[in-house]
């Protein structure tokens, strides 16, 4: 499977862009600067630059298994699927909190999303979408800085099926959340 990586530097204060430059010859990598701050804007900018049939969305504070792309792709064998999102594990929190977050993930977010929205919620740090459907629904709203993934979900679900896949896993940082 061939793939491209689009890295959007959204005014990062670390050395992300400099570190990424080291991989330009090792990966099909493009580093883009998006000077206007915002998660929705950064996601929209990256997706606009992507050229694949299936677009994956990832975050800098998230770790992905080596088979992440292959796992996500298998769900698109069904032509009715326009998006896939998956489970996640917490990084940077106490073990007791991590255990509860992961244990009740489906009950706390997947099931309510299906009830309230009629579809699983495409979590922005762990999702893939069919490019044609993404463009048709208008993609990420660059003006939204939070819940831009829910906004996308609400528009994308009208075009086909969104799948929640337990085996499509990401480990993401929750260190900045106000958890006890």
């Amino acid at each position: 499977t061939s793939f491209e990586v689009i890295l959007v530097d959204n005014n990062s204060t670390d050395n992300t862009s400099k570190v990424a430059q080291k991989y330009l010859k090792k990966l099909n990598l493009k580093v883009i600067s998006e000077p206007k701050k915002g998660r929705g804007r950064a996601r929209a900018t990256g997706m606009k630059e992507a050229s694949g049939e299936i677009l994956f969305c990832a975050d800098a504070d998230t770790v992905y298994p080596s088979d992440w792309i292959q796992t996500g792709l298998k769900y698109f064998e069904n032509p009715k699927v326009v998006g896939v999102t998956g489970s996640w594990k917490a990084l940077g929190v106490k073990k007791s909190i991590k255990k509860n977050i992961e244990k009740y993930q489906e009950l706390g977010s997947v099931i309510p999303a299906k009830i309230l929205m009629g579809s699983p919620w495409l979590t922005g740090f762990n999702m893939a979408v069919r490019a044609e459907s993404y463009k048709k629904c208008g993609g990420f709203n660059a003006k939204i800085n939070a819940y831009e993934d829910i906004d996308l979900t609400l528009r994308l679900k009208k075009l086909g099926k969104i799948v929640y896949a337990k085996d499509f896993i990401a480990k993401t940082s929750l260190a900045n959340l106000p958890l006890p």
Side-chain angles (χ1 to χ4, degrees):
T1 305
S2 64
F3 61 91
E4 65 183 347
V5 176
I6 311 292
L7 186 144
V8 180
D9 182 348
N10 195 216
N11 295 313
S12 64
T13 56
D14 60 14
N15 290 324
T16 299
S17 289
K18 286 181 183 176
V19 171
Q21 297 296 327
K22 296 176 186 176
Y23 294 91
L24 288 174
K25 292 181 182 173
K26 297 177 184 177
L27 286 172
N28 182 8
L29 171 66
K30 187 187 292 185
V31 179
I32 301 166
S33 177
E34 173 51 69
K36 291 185 181 176
K37 273 293 228 191
R39 209 164 56 201
R41 179 154 317 271
R43 291 191 199 288
T45 298
M47 295 294 242
K48 186 177 180 182
E49 288 290 324
S51 63
E53 291 178 31
I54 306 297
L55 309 177
F56 287 72
C57 193
D59 281 4
D61 64 349
T62 306
V63 178
Y64 302 90
S66 61
D67 65 347
W68 184 66
I69 293 171
Q70 287 76 18
T71 301
L73 284 175
K74 72 182 179 185
Y75 292 95
F76 292 96
E77 291 172 10
N78 178 344
K80 294 180 181 180
V81 171
V82 295
V84 64
T85 192
S87 61
W88 50 271
K89 298 199 179 291
L91 296 173
V93 295
K94 296 178 193 170
K95 275 189 178 181
S96 59
I97 294 170
K98 177 181 171 157
K99 185 177 176 182
N100 285 330
I101 287 172
E102 292 171 5
K103 183 177 179 182
Y104 296 107
Q105 183 180 142
E106 198 163 338
L107 184 63
S109 65
V110 178
I111 294 170
K114 285 182 181 179
I115 292 168
L116 296 171
M117 299 190 309
S119 166
W121 159 17
L122 288 166
T123 50
F125 62 83
N126 188 23
M127 60 171 267
V129 294
R130 204 174 289 280
E132 179 183 338
S133 301
Y134 175 82
K135 290 173 187 163
K136 189 173 183 178
C137 80
F140 281 114
N141 183 337
K143 295 177 183 174
I144 299 176
N145 191 34
Y147 304 114
E148 73 290 340
D149 45 7
I150 292 176
D151 175 69
L152 176 65
T153 300
L154 292 170
R155 290 180 283 112
L156 191 63
K157 74 179 183 122
K158 296 174 185 173
L159 301 177
K161 184 175 180 166
I162 295 176
V163 175
Y164 171 75
K166 286 184 182 182
D167 65 337
F168 188 54
I169 300 168
K171 294 178 182 179
T172 193
S173 172
L174 300 180
N176 296 323
L177 291 180
L179 298 171

